Amino acid sequence: MALLGTFDLAGGAGEPVDYRRVLASHGVARLAPLRVDVAGRVLETTIGAGGTVRTIVMREASPGRVDVEVTGRAPGDRARRGLLETARHILRLDEDLSDFYALCASDETLSWVTTGAGRLIRSPSVFEDVVKTICTTNCAWSATVRMADALVRELGDAAPGGRRAFPGPEAMAAAGTEFYREVARAGYRGPYLLTLARDVADGRVDLEALADPELPDAEVEKRLLALPGIGPYAAAHIMLISLGRYGRLVLDSWTRPTYAALCGRPTADRAIEHQFRRYGRYAGLAFWLRLTENWLDRET
DNA sequence: CGTCCAGGTCTAC
DNA sequence: GGTAGACCTGGACGC
């Protein structure tokens, strides 16, 4: 393992970052090839970087400082810069959440957020988060884990140390329908995943372009909904965890009852949206944080 | 053993 | 525009 570099834990405007809150930010951050150890303050993943594949380990070695280490021999300067950039991208460290924190500060149910929550881990590519989100739909979490594990194990490139990266669209497009049916056991999602991978690999669909801040949220949502297997839940989820577009609420069979338990009674979707309207473009993030406030407790 | 349903979506009315 | 049924899979239930 070679030390690539060290980050100060601070947001785009210098706002605080609670590393354990980042690691426990959402469930998809625990799918292969990512591994999180919240108590140990470690995030590990394997990424492809310009033809080479490396496992990177991001550890809060001392308060407010994250060491980034990499498996294998020390990379060259160019690869080193690329890996560090990807690490910052995954941790969303350049995002400025100070406007959001200002809104939270005057809300007694969310003022705790301002100590460094709200930064959601994202994958190196939008493609990876889109595929994983499709794997969360209409199935138990164990099935989502099984599908993601199979994709990485069977289709991902290996890094020094033996761990594998998430497969790119080309590798997923090259896998046969039998792989999705018999190995990933993706069921009816198999054709969705295969179609998506082919469209991205062939250039008919550009998912990475959705990160372009010039695109309006409505246009991004429209393009996501046009993808196979992506409906309102999945579009909102991808916009939240991958694209930093927090305006939509993720409403699904986990968030609805979780919010109902918080309120003591069920609330209609429209009413929930109304209750978070004051957060504007951060409404979805505010809702998500209300639901996950206790996620650090369950880690310890 | 059958039925239900889990971090939904698609198609057909 | 809104709603019913079908849909892969496999754990969790009730009988």
Side-chain angles (χ1 to χ4, degrees), chain A residues 268-290:
Chain A
D269 289 355
R270 302 293 294 273
I272 301 175
E273 284 166 351
H274 183 75
Q275 289 168 17
F276 285 87
R277 206 178 46 169
R278 72 177 287 265
Y279 282 95
R281 65 191 178 99
Y282 292 108
L285 186 56
F287 179 54
W288 184 255
L289 289 165
R290 281 294 306 278

Side-chain angles (χ1 to χ4, degrees), chain A residues 1-288:
Chain A
M1 292 262 276
L3 180 65
L4 278 182
T6 300
F7 297 144
D8 284 325
L9 275 178
E15 70 274 25
V17 175
D18 181 336
Y19 198 56
R20 291 188 308 158
R21 281 284 174 194
V22 180
L23 300 190
S25 56
H26 61 89
V28 168
R30 294 173 176 266
L31 296 176
L34 285 85
R35 293 183 148 202
V36 298
D37 172 359
V38 179
R41 300 170 189 265
V42 184
L43 171 63
E44 173 190 318
T45 191
T46 301
I47 58 182
T52 69
V53 181
R54 293 300 185 101
T55 295
I56 56 175
V57 178
M58 292 158 268
R59 180 192 318 271
E60 188 179 21
S62 59
R65 305 272 291 171
V66 171
D67 286 347
V68 182
E69 297 178 303
V70 66
T71 58
R73 63 185 168 83
D77 201 47
R78 187 190 183 85
R80 177 178 159 277
R81 281 201 305 273
L83 289 163
L84 283 172
E85 189 180 336
T86 302
R88 292 189 68 86
H89 179 88
I90 290 169
L91 297 174
R92 219 178 249 293
L93 281 183
D94 294 325
E95 175 121 351
D96 178 357
L97 289 175
S98 55
D99 288 347
F100 175 57
Y101 283 8
L103 289 168
C104 291
S106 57
D107 180 346
E108 65 177 17
T109 67
L110 280 176
S111 57
W112 60 270
V113 166
T114 62
T115 59
R119 218 163 286 277
L120 308 182
I121 288 178
R122 63 181 156 183
S123 296
S125 69
V126 178
F127 175 75
E128 182 172 331
D129 283 328
V130 170
V131 169
K132 287 174 174 174
T133 297
I134 291 174
C135 293
T136 67
T137 57
N138 195 30
C139 63
W141 188 251
S142 58
T144 301
V145 171
R146 182 192 63 235
M147 290 182 251
D149 282 349
L151 289 169
V152 170
R153 184 183 67 245
E154 304 292 333
L155 306 179
D157 292 327
R163 307 191 64 77
R164 291 177 181 277
F166 198 82
E170 298 80 8
M172 280 187 58
T177 55
E178 330 75 52
F179 165 78
Y180 292 97
R181 189 173 57 238
E182 306 297 336
V183 182
R185 305 202 69 73
Y188 67 85
R189 299 168 202 77
Y192 294 162
L193 297 173
L194 196 47
T195 301
L196 176 72
R198 284 174 177 159
D199 283 349
V200 174
D202 295 343
R204 284 187 294 275
V205 168
D206 185 358
L207 295 178
E208 308 313 313
L210 299 179
D212 180 356
E214 298 297 313
L215 282 178
D217 284 359
E219 172 65 19
V220 170
E221 182 178 46
K222 182 179 146 195
R223 292 192 200 178
L224 286 171
L225 291 174
L227 299 173
I230 302 289
Y233 149 77
H237 188 259
I238 292 160
M239 291 173 77
L240 181 80
I241 69 161
S242 199
L243 300 175
R245 296 173 181 271
Y246 308 117
R248 273 99 176 133
L249 273 56
V250 173
L251 294 162
D252 59 32
S253 66
W254 181 75
T255 60
R256 289 188 183 98
T258 301
Y259 190 63
L262 224 51
C263 301
R265 60 185 170 80
T267 311
D269 289 355
R270 302 293 294 273
I272 301 175
E273 284 166 351
H274 183 75
Q275 289 168 17
F276 285 87
R277 206 178 46 169
R278 72 177 287 265
Y279 282 95
R281 65 191 178 99
Y282 292 108
L285 186 56
F287 179 54
W288 184 255

